[in-house]
Amino acid sequence: MKSIFDKITKFRKKRAEKKALRKESLEESNLAEEALPEEFDVSTMQKTKIQKGMSSTMLVNRNIADLMNQLEETFSQRLLRMIDERGMSESEAYTKAYVDHRHFSKIRKDVNYVPNKKTVLAFTIALELSLDKAKDLLASAGFALSRSSKTDIIVAYFLQNKIYDMFEINEVLDVYGQPVF
């Protein structure tokens, strides 16, 4: 996994250098050196022992009704709340996520709507979420970031480095042969 992060960083550095050279030829004066991204912190994606889960909270004498009272926010509820917290309009959020208006309407109307993982990842980028908040949004839809998925690793890299440019993310996804958003 470390090598993939190194490759992404190397790719981005090369692209930044090419960009700087192009910029330098156009504007020889007043060239501001581009800041290169920090290295990805692999430790945030290391396996952790689940401390709070269904099995640890379920007592022998509990019934299903008690467990149903412990439900958390659904994906739809959490997404709408996060959009409000960021002061974004709904149309701004789904446009940045490249989600169709009709698809977003389904998400808004059905509190129990379960999207595909790609849709959730697109919203994590559109809402400019931190890696932890992105993990929460993914969990609300029943997903997690996996260290065995190139797409997940690439998206995690960009979230960790607070880079929310969908075009840049798509470019790296394409370089690694992954479907783009």
Side-chain angles (χ1 to χ4, degrees):
M1 186 167 94
K2 181 79 169 164
S3 65
I4 291 175
F5 294 138
D6 292 339
K7 288 178 184 179
I8 293 171
T9 301
K10 189 176 181 181
F11 172 79
R12 293 188 70 247
K13 284 180 183 178
K14 280 184 182 179
R15 203 179 78 234
E17 289 169 5
K18 286 180 184 177
K19 218 182 229 185
L21 287 174
R22 276 187 259 136
K23 202 174 196 179
E24 186 176 287
S25 67
L26 294 175
E27 310 171 4
E28 292 211 357
S29 63
N30 296 334
L31 176 67
E33 190 176 81
E34 287 188 43
L36 297 177
E38 296 178 18
E39 292 295 319
F40 183 75
D41 183 8
V42 178
S43 65
T44 62
M45 286 191 66
Q46 290 178 349
K47 292 181 182 177
T48 56
K49 185 176 178 183
I50 297 174
Q51 296 173 356
K52 181 181 175 187
M54 192 79 149
S55 61
S56 66
T57 59
M58 192 179 332
L59 298 174
V60 177
N61 62 355
R62 283 201 165 165
N63 62 31
I64 194 76
D66 291 337
L67 294 173
M68 289 300 170
N69 289 331
Q70 295 177 4
L71 282 174
E72 294 182 0
E73 278 181 313
T74 66
F75 168 76
S76 177
Q77 292 167 328
R78 185 164 290 184
L79 176 65
L80 295 172
R81 179 178 53 78
M82 289 177 149
I83 290 170
D84 286 343
E85 286 174 353
R86 282 167 177 60
M88 295 175 81
S89 69
E90 290 179 354
S91 63
E92 185 181 5
Y94 69 72
T95 302
K96 280 183 77 175
Y98 294 99
V99 170
D100 181 66
H101 170 70
R102 288 173 289 181
H103 186 181
F104 186 78
S105 183
K106 287 180 191 177
I107 294 170
R108 187 177 356 98
K109 288 180 182 177
D110 183 359
V111 73
N112 294 312
Y113 180 81
V114 180
N116 65 34
K117 188 173 183 178
K118 188 175 177 181
T119 301
V120 182
L121 289 173
F123 276 112
T124 65
I125 296 162
L127 296 175
E128 300 183 359
L129 300 180
S130 68
L131 189 55
D132 287 337
K133 291 206 184 257
K135 288 177 182 178
D136 289 343
L137 186 60
L138 281 158
S140 71
F143 300 111
L145 289 174
S146 170
R147 297 184 318 156
S148 62
S149 165
K150 287 182 183 179
T151 298
D152 289 1
I153 290 170
I154 291 166
V155 170
Y157 171 87
F158 282 94
L159 292 174
Q160 178 75 30
N161 287 289
K162 296 179 171 76
I163 302 167
Y164 305 106
D165 183 348
M166 192 69 83
F167 293 111
E168 189 172 352
I169 295 168
N170 280 339
E171 186 177 351
V172 174
L173 287 168
D174 186 53
V175 166
Y176 283 93
Q178 300 304 299
V180 296
F181 289 101

